[in-house]
């Protein structure tokens, strides 16, 4: 075969072409198999086909000057994933696992936001809602590019990471997330972030409906909701939508650290 072929697309979902040939074989990624204990099954999975979704670890949800704190919510639970993620992210990057930051990042004109979504953030119509200035620093609530929508400083994003703006609780609704994951050849998704019973769960459910394999990292996820919301979410993930483990178990399962045996 003529070797002067040019890549079109994003590997592994790429063609190689020239004027005469279109090679559409899409060579597979080199496998990187691990065994991972979860609360219900011992999994065998391929790290080469995995990605981490970090959802809504943003100032508006996790910072004492953000939106949740401004309406009287104790955001300390939402900050609990920060430390385990600080430990986990460098290791995942060293294994070339994509890190996708999936965050609320609304349009300045809010033209794609329905009245029902506005109501979640401003149920009386007189409070501080989407796009309104925060009391302490005037940053517009969950506006793309603003301090309010930025990931907390403690979780530094890297140039190789992928950022997705979302406009609903699910990161898949009306976003390019599914297309990006398919182009990257990812079929196994790890989930982290806040709130575990709202945006994390909605995104994980949609991922399951789209036939991704879903694994929640419990210590890298949290909620400011009541405890029964957390317990119901964990039950439903294990029962219906995927698996639950934690970052320390994942780290011990990765090559070069310590492997669990089947």
């Amino acid at each position: 075969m003529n070797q002067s072929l040019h890549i079109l697309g994003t590997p592994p979902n790429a063609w190689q072409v020239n004027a005469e040939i279109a090679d559409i074989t899409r060579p597979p990624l080199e496998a990187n198999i691990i065994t991972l204990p979860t609360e219900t099954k011992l999994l065998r999975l391929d790290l080469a086909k995995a990605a981490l979704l970090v959802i809504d670890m943003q100032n508006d949800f996790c910072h004492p000057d953000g939106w949740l704190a401004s309406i009287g919510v104790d955001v300390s639970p939402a900050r609990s994933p920060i430390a385990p993620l600080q430990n986990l992210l460098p290791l995942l990057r060293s294994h070339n696992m994509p890190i996708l930051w999936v965050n609320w990042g609304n349009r300045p004109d809010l033209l794609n936001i329905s009245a029902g979504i506005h109501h979640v953030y401003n149920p009386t119509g007189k409070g501080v809602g989407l796009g309104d200035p925060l009391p302490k620093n005037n940053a517009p609530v969950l506006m793309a590019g603003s301090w309010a929508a930025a990931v907390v400083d403690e979780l530094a994003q890297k140039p190789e990471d992928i950022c997705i703006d979302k406009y609903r609780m699910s990161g898949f609704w009306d976003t390019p997330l599914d297309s990006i994951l398919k182009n990257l050849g990812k079929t196994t998704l790890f989930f982290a972030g806040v709130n575990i019973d709202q945006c994390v769960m909605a995104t994980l459910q949609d991922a399951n409906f789209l036939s991704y394999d879903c694994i929640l990292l419990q210590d890298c996820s949290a909620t400011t909701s009541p405890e029964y919301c957390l317990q119901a979410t964990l039950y439903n993930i294990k029962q219906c939508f995927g698996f639950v483990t934690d970052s320390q178990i994942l780290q011990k399962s990765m090559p070069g650290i310590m492997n669990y045996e089947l």
Side-chain angles (χ1 to χ4, degrees), residues 9-39:
T10 302
N13 191 27
W15 295 1
Q16 297 184 71
V17 305
N18 61 19
E20 301 173 343
I21 297 169
D23 181 348
I24 61 174
T25 57
R26 296 178 175 87
L29 297 168
E30 182 179 354
N32 187 3
I33 308 296
I34 67 169
T35 58
L36 175 66
T38 74
E39 293 187 12

Side-chain angles (χ1 to χ4, degrees), residues 52-59 61-63 77-90 92-93 99-103 149-159 161-163 192-194 219-222 247:
L52 172 68
L53 274 56
V54 185
I55 298 168
D56 288 0
M57 292 300 297
Q58 298 168 268
N59 287 324
F61 300 124
C62 305
H63 193 282
R79 297 183 61 79
S80 64
I82 292 175
L85 282 169
Q86 286 174 324
N87 291 327
L88 180 64
L89 294 177
L92 298 187
R93 292 188 182 106
I99 311 299
L100 291 90
W101 301 89
V102 184
N103 297 323
V151 171
V152 293
D153 288 342
E154 294 90 340
L155 295 176
Q157 297 167 288
K158 299 295 184 181
D161 295 347
I162 300 166
C163 298
V194 296
D219 62 329
C220 294
S221 308
S247 65

Side-chain angles (χ1 to χ4, degrees), residues 166-187:
K166 68 181 178 71
Y167 321 103
R168 303 291 188 273
M169 288 193 178
S170 171
F172 285 96
W173 185 261
D174 199 23
T175 78
L177 179 57
D178 185 47
S179 297
I180 289 171
L181 291 168
K182 283 183 167 58
N183 277 332
L184 293 173
K186 305 308 175 185
T187 56

Side-chain angles (χ1 to χ4, degrees), residues 186-206:
K186 305 308 175 185
T187 56
T188 297
L189 304 181
F190 291 95
F191 289 83
V194 296
N195 277 318
I196 191 173
D197 54 317
Q198 297 171 359
C199 292
V200 176
M201 181 59 164
T203 306
L204 188 151
Q205 283 180 301
D206 274 354

Side-chain angles (χ1 to χ4, degrees), residues 70-121:
S70 76
I71 61 171
V73 176
D74 176 11
V75 298
S76 56
R79 297 183 61 79
S80 64
I82 292 175
L85 282 169
Q86 286 174 324
N87 291 327
L88 180 64
L89 294 177
L91 178 61
L92 298 187
R93 292 188 182 106
S94 74
H95 284 269
N96 298 313
M97 185 184 295
I99 311 299
L100 291 90
W101 301 89
V102 184
N103 297 323
W104 277 95
N106 291 313
R107 294 165 51 98
D109 57 18
L110 298 174
L111 283 175
N112 61 334
I113 302 301
S114 70
I117 296 171
H118 278 291
H119 183 262
V120 172
Y121 291 86

